[in-house]
Amino acid sequence: MEQTGWALVWVILVFVTDVTVRILAVIFVPRNRRPTAAMAWLLAIYFIPIVGVLLFLLIGNPRLPRKRRRKQEVINESIRTMSHGLDLGTLRPNAPEWFRATVRLNRNLGAMPISGDNGATLISGYQDSIDAMASAIREATEYVHVEFYILQADATTDGFFAAMEEAAARGVKVRVLLDHWANRGKPFYKQTLKRLTDMGADWHLMLPVQPFRGAYTRPDLRNHRKLLVVDGNVAFTGSQNVTDSTYNLKKNIRRGLHWVDMMTRVDGPVVASINAVFLSDWYSETDEIVDDIELFHVRPGTGDLDCQIIPSGPGFEYQNNLKLFMSLLFAAQKKLIIVSPYFVPDEGLLLAIQTACQRGVHVELFVSEEGDQAMVYHAQRSYYEALLRGGVKIFMYRKPFILHSKSMSVDDDVAVIGSSNMDMRSFGLNLEISLLVRGEEYVQQLRRVEDEYRALSRELTLEEWMRQPLRSTVLDNLARLTSSLQ
């Protein structure tokens, strides 16, 4: 009898706890969250309550800690103050109103000003970009700022590291940031850190996941930026990490996978904005303010391009990169070409692309024929039918290559290149950097790279897609559901 009483107590306790958790979930989960994301989390908590609650507590808040967000606010205000009223080069005439509005949007969200008199050169060769960065480092006389999501000292990047070693030996200050979670456990991780230490570089891990050392960040919040600044005169940014094109991973080597990327070299006033992103991240990770660099000292570049840097990520209140892409999608009049290895749009972005097609805009999307991340690969495939029916031309870069470049060209004179994919992770979880450029000569460079990609791709048709087996469709749709969990 006593055992029956205790059993009843446990049943009541479990029932009350379950009801309480469900009520609290309904109250707290949807708060300031997209409806699709809220619904996905609620379903997870309702159907697998223990796992769902634990996952929500671990990764349910897609924002950096309040202290770090406050740092970003202080940084943004400082950048606005320092750059206000400065002569940042002569802007190109006759900018359309939509472009001026987009620039204001970016300034309000990411603080960075637009500047003129910039030079920019695209580099689409994988080894070429690493060699170009190494050459720039060899010219350094004051400082070298290196920030990459993945940074590995291997045979492919040996020249890059040798250039840093030579610079440090000359007395040049070498500062290095690399993402902790992305690099830890990777081939050459310990060797890379040792080489940085031995050369005398001042290096730090970004967003460290080291709870036993008092440094913990959610493992899915990552600094995905790729940038290099040399003396404030020249900078590089884009999609490429500093590592071999196989990432030195056995599974990639076994499958014959190689990454295809694109970087851009810039000179002129915009270099100051890229440097500001680095110094912001440096301060966020180290609490050190580098005050011996005259940040917005204007140096005219080798061209007359208008450029603006847009930083984004969970340190900002809004999804800066998503708003930039949406603004450009609605502004396009003739042609939109999107290159994104991981394309998992939210409802608004998908609608904007479909609307562009319905307005008569020619829209092309470049993705990889083969994926390296199963969940994202299948999630993006779930959108192909809607895109094809909407009029988007989809080009699949042939395997065994992974098209990792990230860019968008709009009509004939505006382009974006950077580290940001068009997926939920890049919009809400990753710290990213994007470069907005106005100038037909730059777009022509990008068009030539797009033509190369098209020649190495095959076009996916709706007829071919509708012949997909049912198991693929089911898997794609299941992966699509998980993409909302943020």
Side-chain angles (χ1 to χ4, degrees):
M1 189 69 179
E2 184 176 348
Q3 291 180 344
T4 303
W6 277 112
L8 181 60
V9 169
W10 275 109
V11 169
I12 294 173
L13 182 60
V14 169
F15 175 77
V16 171
T17 302
D18 181 68
V19 172
T20 302
V21 168
R22 292 170 187 267
I23 292 174
L24 291 175
V26 171
I27 294 172
F28 289 105
V29 170
R31 185 178 182 182
N32 296 324
R33 196 179 302 272
R34 292 178 295 106
T36 52
M39 183 60 69
W41 276 115
L42 288 174
L43 288 172
I45 292 171
Y46 275 37
F47 285 101
I48 45 173
I50 296 177
V51 175
V53 169
L54 289 176
L55 281 175
F56 183 77
L57 294 175
L58 181 65
I59 62 172
N61 180 13
R63 305 190 73 180
L64 289 170
R66 185 182 301 275
K67 179 181 178 181
R68 178 138 183 169
R69 298 200 307 271
R70 177 56 185 158
K71 281 184 178 181
Q72 187 66 61
E73 293 170 2
V74 171
I75 291 165
N76 289 351
E77 190 57 38
S78 297
I79 291 171
R80 290 191 183 97
T81 301
M82 285 189 294
S83 60
H84 180 71
L86 292 181
D87 179 8
L88 297 176
T90 303
L91 298 180
R92 299 169 75 99
N94 305 318
E97 178 54 38
W98 69 261
F99 183 79
R100 293 195 290 268
T102 299
V103 168
R104 287 195 299 271
L105 169 73
N106 297 334
R107 175 74 156 167
N108 291 336
L109 295 178
M112 300 298 177
I114 190 169
S115 61
D117 299 332
N118 297 289
T121 303
L122 280 172
I123 309 172
S124 58
Y126 197 96
Q127 187 66 55
D128 292 341
S129 63
I130 293 176
D131 292 344
M133 289 188 286
S135 295
I137 293 172
R138 289 193 177 93
E139 300 296 321
T141 59
E142 299 176 35
Y143 60 84
V144 173
H145 291 163
V146 177
E147 178 176 343
F148 283 87
Y149 179 60
I150 295 176
L151 183 72
Q152 293 190 51
D154 57 34
T156 298
T157 65
D158 183 68
F160 183 97
F161 277 81
M164 287 196 293
E165 289 165 340
E166 295 164 12
R170 296 195 305 271
V172 173
K173 182 66 176 180
V174 178
R175 299 182 177 92
V176 178
L177 292 172
L178 64 158
D179 188 84
H180 176 224
W181 193 258
N183 286 278
R184 62 111 188 76
K186 288 282 196 314
F188 307 112
Y189 175 55
K190 292 182 179 179
Q191 296 94 316
T192 299
L193 298 187
K194 183 178 186 303
R195 191 164 179 179
L196 291 172
T197 300
D198 290 346
M199 75 173 67
D202 189 356
W203 63 268
H204 294 272
L205 299 173
M206 297 186 291
L207 301 178
V209 186
Q210 299 172 318
F212 297 112
R213 298 185 183 181
Y216 177 76
T217 308
R218 272 180 48 181
D220 60 331
L221 297 183
R222 307 299 351 131
N223 193 320
H224 195 242
R225 293 169 180 156
K226 292 98 174 168
L227 63 91
L228 167 70
V229 181
V230 178
D231 291 347
N233 295 323
V234 62
F236 293 77
T237 192
S239 67
Q240 187 171 336
N241 292 296
V242 178
T243 182
D244 184 75
S245 63
T246 65
Y247 283 51
N248 299 302
L249 295 176
K250 291 181 180 179
K251 62 179 182 179
N252 294 341
I253 296 171
R254 185 170 57 251
R255 296 168 61 189
L257 298 183
H258 289 270
W259 266 239
V260 175
D261 276 289
M262 181 164 49
M263 296 290 282
T264 192
R265 178 194 185 277
V266 296
D267 53 61
V270 72
V271 173
S273 292
I274 299 177
N275 213 10
V277 173
F278 175 87
L279 294 173
S280 300
D281 287 339
W282 186 264
Y283 169 60
S284 296
E285 298 297 350
T286 67
D287 288 324
E288 176 191 355
I289 298 176
V290 180
D291 55 9
D292 59 347
I293 293 177
E294 190 177 352
L295 188 58
F296 282 100
H297 176 66
V298 176
R299 299 174 176 86
T302 56
D304 66 345
L305 300 171
D306 295 348
C307 297
Q308 185 180 30
I309 289 294
I310 303 92
S312 58
F316 293 88
E317 184 175 357
Y318 303 103
Q319 296 175 322
N320 300 356
N321 48 356
L322 175 58
K323 287 180 169 57
L324 165 65
F325 295 145
M326 292 286 283
S327 178
L328 296 177
L329 288 169
F330 282 117
Q333 298 298 309
K334 296 180 293 184
K335 181 184 290 187
L336 271 168
I337 299 182
I338 301 167
V339 181
S340 181
Y342 311 117
F343 183 83
V344 186
D346 68 356
E347 295 90 336
L349 187 61
L350 179 62
L351 182 62
I353 292 173
Q354 293 171 324
T355 302
C357 290
Q358 291 163 351
R359 294 200 322 268
V361 177
H362 177 86
V363 181
E364 295 181 11
L365 171 65
F366 285 84
V367 294
S368 294
E369 185 177 43
E370 185 168 7
D372 66 301
Q373 299 182 26
M375 293 300 292
V376 179
Y377 173 68
H378 286 285
Q380 78 174 19
R381 283 165 50 91
S382 72
Y383 291 92
Y384 288 173
E385 181 179 348
L387 292 168
L388 291 167
R389 290 190 183 279
V392 177
K393 290 183 173 294
I394 299 178
F395 292 92
M396 305 177 74
Y397 201 92
R398 291 189 181 275
K399 56 185 179 183
F401 295 96
I402 301 296
L403 182 58
H404 193 246
S405 302
K406 308 142 198 314
S407 66
M408 177 189 292
S409 57
V410 183
D411 296 336
D412 296 321
D413 62 350
V414 175
V416 175
I417 180 175
S419 66
S420 179
N421 300 302
M422 285 194 173
D423 68 352
M424 309 303 185
R425 170 165 291 281
S426 281
F427 297 150
L429 302 179
N430 287 345
L431 281 72
E432 307 281 7
I433 181 171
S434 301
L435 169 66
L436 175 68
V437 182
R438 178 171 178 253
E440 61 274 8
E441 56 267 43
Y442 186 80
V443 175
Q444 287 171 3
Q445 291 184 58
L446 187 53
R447 288 278 187 260
R448 287 193 288 271
V449 177
E450 293 164 350
D451 289 343
E452 293 174 8
Y453 291 167
R454 193 178 295 104
L456 295 170
S457 303
R458 68 177 184 85
E459 184 175 355
L460 177 68
T461 64
L462 181 60
E463 292 74 20
E464 176 190 346
W465 184 249
M466 296 309 294
R467 293 195 297 268
Q468 290 290 314
L470 178 61
R471 64 178 181 276
S472 296
T473 302
V474 171
L475 186 57
D476 294 344
N477 290 333
L478 287 175
R480 179 172 180 165
L481 289 176
T482 63
S483 69
S484 298
L485 288 174
Q486 61 162 282

